[in-house]
Amino acid sequence: MKNGKMAWLARRMAISAVLLVLVSALIFAATQALPGDVAAMILGTDATPDQVAALRTQMHLNDPIIAQYFSWLGGIFVGNFGYSHIAGLPVASFIGTRVKNTFVVVTISMLFALPFSMLLGLITALYKDRWFDRFVLAFSLSVNALPEFVLAVLLVILFSTNVLHILPALSILSPGLAITSQLPSLVLPCLTLFLLQITYLYRLIRSAVIDVLSTEYIQFAELKGLSLRRILFRHALPNAAVPALQAAATVFAVCVGGVVVIEYVFAFPGIGTALTDAVGNRDLAVVQFIVLLIATTFIVSNIVADMVTALLTPPGRGEGQ
Amino acid sequence: AQSETPKQGGTLRVAVPGSATGSLDPHRTQGFVADIVRFTSLTDGLTEYLPDSTVGLVLAESFTANSDATEWTVKLHKGVKTHDGNEFVADDVIYTVERILDPKNPTKGSSLIGFVDPKAIEKVDDHTLVFKLKKPYGLFPNVWANRYLRMVPRNFDPAKPIATGPFKFVSFAVGQESVFEANEQYFRGRPPLDKVVLINVGEEVASINALRGGQVDISYTIPYTQAKVIEADPGLHILNNPSTMSIPIYMRTDIEPFNDVRVRKAMMLIADREQMVKVALSGYGLVGNDMNGRTVTPCATSAVPQRKQDIEEAKRLLAEAGKSGLKVDMIAYRGTAGMVECCQILAEQAKKAGVTINVKILEMAPFIANYPQWTFGVDFLSDLYLPVATRSLLPGSPFNTAHWDDKEFNALQEKAMASTDEGERCDTIAKMRAIENERGGNLIWGFANVLNGYRDNVKGLVPYSVDSPLYYVRNIWLA
Amino acid sequence: MSVFVDNLGIELAGSGKPIVKGVSFEIKPGKVLGIVGESGSGKTTVALAMLGYARNGTCISKGSRVEIDGKDILSQTATEIRSMRGKLVSYVPQDPNASLNPALTLREQLVEGLVTGRNKMNRAEALERVSSLLAEVGLPSTREFLERYPTQVSGGQLQRIAIAMAIAAHPRLIVLDEPTTGLDVSVQNDVLRMVSRLCTQYQISAIYVSHDLAVVSHVAHHVLVLYTGRVVEYAECRDLFARPSHPYTRALLQAIPSIRERRELRSIPGTVEANRMTGGCVFRARCLFARAKCEIEPDLSESGPADHLVRCHWPIQGPLERLLSVIEREDAAAAQPLLQIVGLNASYGRHAVLHDVNLDLHPGRCFAVVGESGSGKSTLSRSIVGLHSQWDGKIELQGRRLEPNCRRRDRGSQQSIQYVFQNPYGSLNPRRTIGDSIVSVYSHFFGVHGNNAQRRVKETLGRVGIPSSYFDRFPNELSGGEKQRCAIARALICSPQIVVCDEITSALDVSVQATIIELLRGLMRDGLSLIFVTHDLGVVRSIADDVAVMNAGRLVELGNSDQVMLAPRADYTRHLLANSLELVDA
Amino acid sequence: MTERQLTMTMLPEKHASSLVLRLVGSTRVRIGFMLMLAVVALAIAGPFFAPYGPTELVGVPFDIPQRDFLLGTDTLGRDVLSRFLWGGRSLVWMSLAATAIALTLATTLGMSAAYFKGRVDDAIMRLIDLKLAFPSIVVALLFVTMFGSGKLLLVLLVGISLAPTGARVVRGAALSVVGREFVQHAQAIGVPSYRILLRDVLPNITSPLLVEVGLRLMWAISALAGLNFLGYGIQSPEADWGLMINENRNALSIQPWAVLAPVAAIAIFTIGGNIFAEGIARVVGRTDKEEAQ
Ligand SMILES: Nc1ncnc2c1ncn2[C@@H]1O[C@H](COP(=O)(O)OP(=O)(O)OP(=O)(O)O)[C@@H](O)[C@H]1O
Ligand SMILES: Nc1ncnc2c1ncn2[C@@H]1O[C@H](COP(=O)(O)OP(=O)(O)OP(=O)(O)O)[C@@H](O)[C@H]1O
Ligand SMILES: [Mg+2]
Ligand SMILES: [Mg+2]
């Protein structure tokens, strides 16, 4: 059994590695097709073509694409993620704190969203079609129907500028201080993400719980005279949590890669804006790094979710003993 | 505000538009506002602009020209110390000029002082230099006020920017935040502020929210349409800078369809400038008359009559040129507020004349990749008349987007530069501008004000027309 | 103290439409009441009501009384009812596989009922009790065993665990809802014996719900026959089987196949009308003796001896005339076999399931394959049709060798061998009408479309006794038996030589089973050959010509059915026969 | 009574036409459909009621609502009401088209993976992993930068980016169908795979599919709006709800109508779509449950 799990993990890792290389190759190829390049971006509008050409040579942008790619790929293996020509820094040190920021915010919001969505899913499933369920559904539909940007701005208006003045409007983080010591600045972006996550996750959990509640083993638990609490939390929830976990993994990855809009609104120094800026600036090494990071997050969070799922789900018939 | 005595102390937090560059280098820079605010706090020029767009001395104590303005003697202030305690001397000036003009490492300011040959600078003593020029140059002291010509000491290292400026470098996180502290030894006196924190904020709404929420004291960016909100807030103020910034719509004069002056003129007649200023700039600006230079002080204002919308005449000209029903692509990018909007307004106005303008909004990278080869588009320039003319109206100059090459104009420009007599120079400039109006390649519909927002307790802010007041943070103090 | 139920009714929550009405009975301590009836008759509904439980959308009618040990269950508050469940009255579910939480260990599920509610124990006590209970039901109580998950033990073991749970708190009443359905015969016997023993030992009353009359006849002291929510007959067990009085009870008994003789089965005409209590006798529409008076519902009244209650205006006295026409079996004409299987080995991955299976099927005959669950019967039949392709050996159809995978087989053999599935609910596409489903099969083989095809399909539906008005119906508008007949029609439309039937009657009620078996018998007369897979020896006896007995993937006995049933040679066959329950002799 | 009559009387409501009838009978379906229809109608008929042209410059920027401009003006001093009335068409058709593309792709891939199993399944799932691991925002940025923000391209991009997760859902749903006996039967008699997928599998996964319609419609709209936010969406001066939100977002606190009007329309459209899809899923699901009995 142990061996089987290890083999499974090893296989997943191998596939993931291939996947990552593919992702990086694709993105490398794609960025080559973009008009303009980093040299021209650095020199701006007043550069002469000669100057641009000189800078291109200096940055090895004239090397064959394959060679560029492999030199970059080779760097990865020695922990060198390339150099951001725009920032004038190695990518890792340029992006490092932003990566941390993004992960902190997404993780915090997720840590709240998961238990809350479980609870909410459980309650709404239990009181299916009653007013509370309908209210929560209406609320979640509305939250989801608003563009992220509008949602974020509404929260700012509510908590920072127009109605209440209790939270900072922007997540201005001092790079010198630990992000954890600047929690008030994180509240609004976390809240925005939290709302987006919970409204999606709770619906999944709700329907999973409804499914589970109609199973025979819940009916049997009921007939055994177990307390409602035990039935819900011990019998129903673990089984209902599985689909939500898988979704949570995807949501986590999506949030890591896709909170650009929120980063803009809160001036949050995360990787989303860094990515769009890097694409705009043709800062290839940064694009590569972030895309790979997002891809890795996606893969790792999925593997983790699969492992947790495997823990939660009992062996199938005929498996193990 | 000016009359009060500045109070010392405090940390000023400024929201500046985002930039991903990691450069603190005053010369090799992409030149975004954030970059400029940073390096102008750390460095000084030989001269600098004053709020009224005249030029004041900074590191230079005096400029003396020979009779035909081909040789300029510059005397430096004595006792100016860099942040690490070294004396700032003539060698540093020469180093800086060489650095700016280094052909291998192009810099933003190089075209401004293309007339200077670094080898022909003579160091007389540690505080005296003589610039020998090939051609006469009457406005020599003025040129050094440009923000891209800041002085750095020898062996300047952009990673540890040591210079002479009013603030010293503390920390810098690329695209995020930079922190500077007061230079106690500053030769013009320690600045009132203890510390300056520049925060990158990419999104306009965000920076306004930060200002309203009290997270910053100054927001560089205030969209025109938001000025009302700030003004309505008793704790906040708008600083309305009558900037020299123009937003020219260029038409390439060397290729179809705008090589025909009648087509260019038709476009100029199509534009309803009042509406463009009213809409694109929400009225925060001045109507233009197809000639550069919002102000040409100390010269007199132009006598050329203001061009007005005249659709019939435009149609007639187009018909005459055989270009009725013209269809043309127009390239815009989001350089500064009002740029994209003015294109869209022109496109709408052009419909009345049967002209179809298809506005394409480009990203920076593709825009730059083909710059300045676009046929029709919009750009922005922000400087006094002669520097603008030098860099964007002469053949081969970097921003000559219209590819304009007018013999008469070129000669006049040469004359204006060489002239040491103000009256003569003013006459020349007036002629140059008249030519621009008559057959230039730029539809200059207006000049944009620049709005900054600040909190009540911020003092010492005065409107600038050439630069931004934020390039002079040393004047600011907190009540 | 005993169990006393009076006028129990369960109805739909919204409309108040009754599901079960007016059920009354009494059970003495240590006695077992059997509740029998066909699918949907309300057995489970009644059983659940004993625990004060009504399924979602239903509720227990006012005026119902369920008294256990002197306590009126239905008048208690919800929390009190909860605390009585498992303690005063407990439940053994029909399908322990689905009823135990797959995500919790056996230990947790065994203990959880004991450490809560009234007389709760501490964990150590509970664990001790659990191990004595497991010993009681014949299971190990090792740590290792207790830490398993439900999926890691067999069905029989699970059912014992469920029974252990039920008796854990020494309840006064234990409700067993079809506890042995789906278990192998030998396991079923063990469980039955255990139930009887426990009830006597602890003086627990029990309700034993089953659709299998033979089983009930072996455990119950009293039997209650339900038909669409009404009690039609209630009597002492022996008395009921000796002198069934209600026409329905009698018809039901006549539909049961027997191992002892090969006889024609008699089905009940029509189908069960669920939830229709329209006023008259509930059985009148299908009753051979129905008359005008039957429009008035008869009372449940005594017939013959005291406490033999029947709900019929014309109860029939006297024993059931047992022997219907016994059918003689013809011997195989020693012709060339239609289908020949030689040295078949099949496996799933590395797990070998069939070992060296050899058999011959002759034209017009029925070849039955019997064996317990997991013996490989389905694998064999799926290998024949090519739905399972991981096998080697040889399968020849009229001397032509068949490809393992059905997709590689030629049209001819795809057409000649047809398969009917066990589960009638899954075998028809729920999104297509019956007609559409069958027409598409016909067009597929014969390229005939439109009216001609429709006519042909209607004809075939007629052959299996489905009126042509069903042509435009969707499967969910059909009963299980009708669906299975449609599935047979879908096989017949291909003009096959062989139809492989995999337990096609095991999901059906006996009366429906009888219809299907007789239908197949008729088709065989027309020259069709059958491979008939089943675990029910009675069914084998009634239809098969030849029998193969399978155990663990091997054929342990092969022969004609008389010989195998009457004079089994293999030990295993004898074991099977010994454990198969027949109705107790009157 | 004959058996025939008997079975007729005892049967539940008819199925075929009854599905449609039941759908119409469901409050959710009706409400959802009405909401969607209202927005579609607004999008189609809106232009006929617009007081000004969609690009006409009629006032100063961000003027508040008044008699001439019932919803005020926008960033270029255009009439918000007119742009609002003009602006539904592109968003409505684009989001519907993107949803259709996403679902078509998802269904094809998901069903094939579930049905063919083994290598095909592996290949499809890895392809999906690849697509999922690749941040869609980057894909969009790259393609739009290369080919410009044509509507067709946007629709394709959004459609494709929404397909993979849908394919997973479809695969999950299809897995339980492809094992069913009627599918095996079709295989056993050699019905071609495409026909099995189309006739046997597809109709049986409609209920999860319909739920996906709602979700994906919502995501398609928010993806289109998100692209607009980054400046990669539909370009001015066209009137489009997504673009309106983006153009006027800075003025949310001074002239909220320029943003809120399109936001409200979009919200109603997506909420309607969700309620509609969920209503259908409920009805179909209930029918399925009855079938399972
Ligand atoms: N939750 C429910 N809501 C409505 N009707 C129900 C519900 N549960 C069961 N029924 C109906 O009640 C009737 C009796 O069902 P019940 O499960 O008691 O039958 P049963 O005799 O146990 O059948 P089986 O042998 O199939 O288990 C059936 O017609 C069924 O359709
Ligand atoms: N898809 C499968 N994968 C792996 N093993 C299987 C599979 N199907 C069946 N088996 C195994 O093959 C053996 C024979 O199964 P099969 O279904 O043929 O038995 P059966 O005699 O039909 O049993 P039942 O009476 O329960 O239907 C069993 O041990 C079963 O666990
Ligand atoms: Mg039952
Ligand atoms: Mg089987």
Side-chain angles (χ1 to χ4, degrees), chain C residues 422-433:
Chain C
Q422 167 169 7
N423 174 13
Y425 300 89
S427 53
L428 296 167
N429 185 344
R431 295 271 181 263
R432 297 175 80 176
T433 59

Side-chain angles (χ1 to χ4, degrees), chain B residues 148-260:
Chain B
Y148 296 120
L149 301 176
R150 294 289 169 129
M151 292 294 140
V152 295
R154 280 156 294 171
N155 304 319
F156 177 76
D157 175 7
K160 284 190 232 67
I162 302 252
T164 61
F167 291 93
K168 295 196 286 192
F169 172 79
V170 176
S171 72
F172 176 39
V174 177
Q176 220 174 320
E177 185 193 81
S178 26
V179 181
F180 305 144
E181 65 184 6
N183 176 5
E184 303 282 346
Q185 258 63 56
Y186 190 53
F187 76 104
R188 289 196 282 180
R190 178 198 191 278
L193 294 169
D194 286 342
K195 219 168 159 191
V196 180
V197 180
L198 303 173
I199 301 156
N200 257 318
V201 181
E203 180 72 12
E204 291 174 349
V205 192
S207 56
I208 291 175
N209 284 338
L211 184 66
R212 297 180 69 191
Q215 282 180 289
V216 296
D217 306 303
I218 301 179
S219 165
Y220 180 89
T221 324
I222 299 292
Y224 301 118
T225 49
Q226 304 274 316
K228 294 180 241 171
V229 189
I230 305 295
E231 273 165 352
D233 191 326
L236 304 177
H237 304 285
I238 287 284
L239 185 69
N240 189 349
N241 301 281
S243 172
T244 51
M245 182 157 74
S246 69
I247 304 183
I249 290 170
Y250 54 82
M251 298 166 272
R252 265 183 77 166
T253 53
D254 56 340
I255 53 173
E256 283 278 310
F258 300 114
N259 52 358
D260 186 331

Side-chain angles (χ1 to χ4, degrees), chain B residues 39-75:
Chain B
F39 69 68
T40 50
S41 300
L42 298 171
T43 58
D44 286 314
L46 291 177
T47 56
E48 70 182 11
Y49 283 112
L50 298 176
D52 62 357
S53 73
T54 56
V55 165
L57 297 173
V58 185
L59 289 171
E61 204 175 54
S62 69
F63 284 86
T64 335
N66 62 358
S67 58
D68 61 351
T70 52
E71 218 177 274
W72 283 86
T73 307
V74 182
K75 272 201 177 325

